[in-house]
Amino acid sequence: GAVVSQHPSWVICKSGTSVKIECRSLDFQATTMFWYRQFPKQSLMLMATSNEGSKATYEQGVEKDKFLINHASLTLSTLTVTSAHPEDSSFYICSARSQRGINEQFFGPGTRLTVL
Amino acid sequence: SQQGEEDPQALSIQEGENATMNCSYKTSINNLQWYRQNSGRGLVHLILIRSNEREKHSGRLRVTLDTSKKSSSLLITASRAADTASYFCATVPLSGGYNKLIFGAGTRLAVHP
């Protein structure tokens, strides 16, 4: 159990376009989802925390108008990178936490974004 | 913001040897977790140790926690080539409603056959 999927697994886009990444909890209800980005050979940096039905909480330095997060249901959160630029190229990983297990986050496989 | 540091940044060993990775953090924690990440993949949860625990075992993994020094170590015994991956510690701070995982910089482990 506790499987989290992400779609797409990789995407290449032109500079200036917007890209949507989906994060789904497949076999549990995720009251909270987290979005991270990871640059090559670096650690995960938390971008934002989203709770179902409410606005996301962004970490300091993360532009909320550039990284739009929607957590419309208990099994789906989306991250939209708006007007993407080459510096947005990164590995984006989501994780989900259920109401029962506050200590454990289940991670998706990640999405590799390359902006040309 | 990142609060953890790990050393070494990279570790290269032979199969059968033990691998030890260390993690330090800055603020008081509820628990500390270790994750593994294969190249270009998501994270796999390995083990969780609570702030009132000092040592925990899971298979070939042994984790210690010293809250007075704000540090933890992960020991992988009898390593295998399949253990090659990056290993991250992550803390759940006491403040913030147990809502965040703060990741360390990670250790890249290479186990050679």
Side-chain angles (χ1 to χ4, degrees):
Chain A
V3 177
V4 176
S5 70
Q6 276 184 247
H7 178 81
S9 55
W10 60 269
V11 57
I12 301 172
C13 70
K14 291 182 179 180
S15 189
T17 60
S18 294
V19 175
K20 181 185 283 189
I21 302 170
E22 292 185 349
C23 176
R24 292 181 187 274
S25 57
L26 298 185
D27 50 4
F28 67 101
Q29 293 187 328
T31 51
T32 306
M33 287 186 168
F34 304 86
W35 286 96
Y36 299 84
R37 67 187 296 181
Q38 183 181 32
F39 292 108
K41 296 186 179 180
Q42 294 189 25
S43 189
L44 280 74
M45 297 286 292
L46 180 64
M47 299 174 66
T49 302
S50 75
N51 292 298
E52 186 265 337
S54 63
K55 289 184 179 179
T57 303
Y58 289 82
E59 293 299 299
Q60 195 172 12
V62 178
E63 298 175 58
K64 62 180 181 181
D65 294 330
K66 178 160 186 67
F67 299 100
L68 301 178
I69 291 172
N70 184 282
H71 191 163
S73 78
L74 285 172
T75 59
L76 173 65
S77 176
T78 60
L79 167 68
T80 301
V81 183
T82 62
S83 187
H85 291 284
E87 57 265 29
D88 298 323
S89 299
S90 187
F91 194 53
Y92 291 87
I93 303 176
C94 74
S95 70
R97 188 179 71 193
S98 71
Q99 208 165 17
R100 288 187 307 170
I102 63 169
N103 283 323
E104 197 165 0
Q105 293 182 24
F106 301 98
F107 284 80
T111 296
R112 172 78 56 195
L113 170 64
T114 302
V115 185
L116 301 176
Chain B
S1 61
Q2 296 293 328
Q3 75 157 7
E5 296 182 0
E6 288 177 67
D7 76 271
Q9 289 187 336
L11 181 60
S12 182
I13 59 175
Q14 297 295 127
E15 258 189 330
E17 295 180 340
N18 295 342
T20 300
M21 288 159 270
N22 302 297
C23 165
S24 62
Y25 56 92
K26 297 177 183 176
T27 64
S28 296
I29 63 171
N30 173 271
N31 65 78
L32 184 146
Q33 303 175 31
W34 283 90
Y35 288 84
R36 166 198 168 117
Q37 183 183 36
N38 284 61
S39 181
R41 301 289 187 91
L43 273 72
V44 174
H45 183 264
L46 294 177
I47 196 166
L48 179 153
I49 186 165
R50 300 184 191 282
S51 60
N52 61 352
E53 297 176 311
R54 291 296 165 258
E55 189 172 310
K56 207 161 184 180
H57 297 255
S58 176
R60 293 185 295 115
L61 305 181
R62 174 177 167 254
V63 168
T64 64
L65 178 64
D66 187 335
T67 53
S68 66
K69 295 181 180 178
K70 291 187 167 59
S71 68
S72 174
S73 69
L74 169 67
L75 168 68
I76 303 175
T77 60
S79 64
R80 305 165 182 167
D83 294 328
T84 295
S86 291
Y87 293 82
F88 295 94
C89 70
T91 53
V92 176
L94 272 182
S95 62
Y98 311 133
N99 215 20
K100 295 182 183 181
L101 272 177
I102 307 298
F103 282 86
T107 294
R108 294 191 304 280
L109 173 66
V111 182
H112 302 285

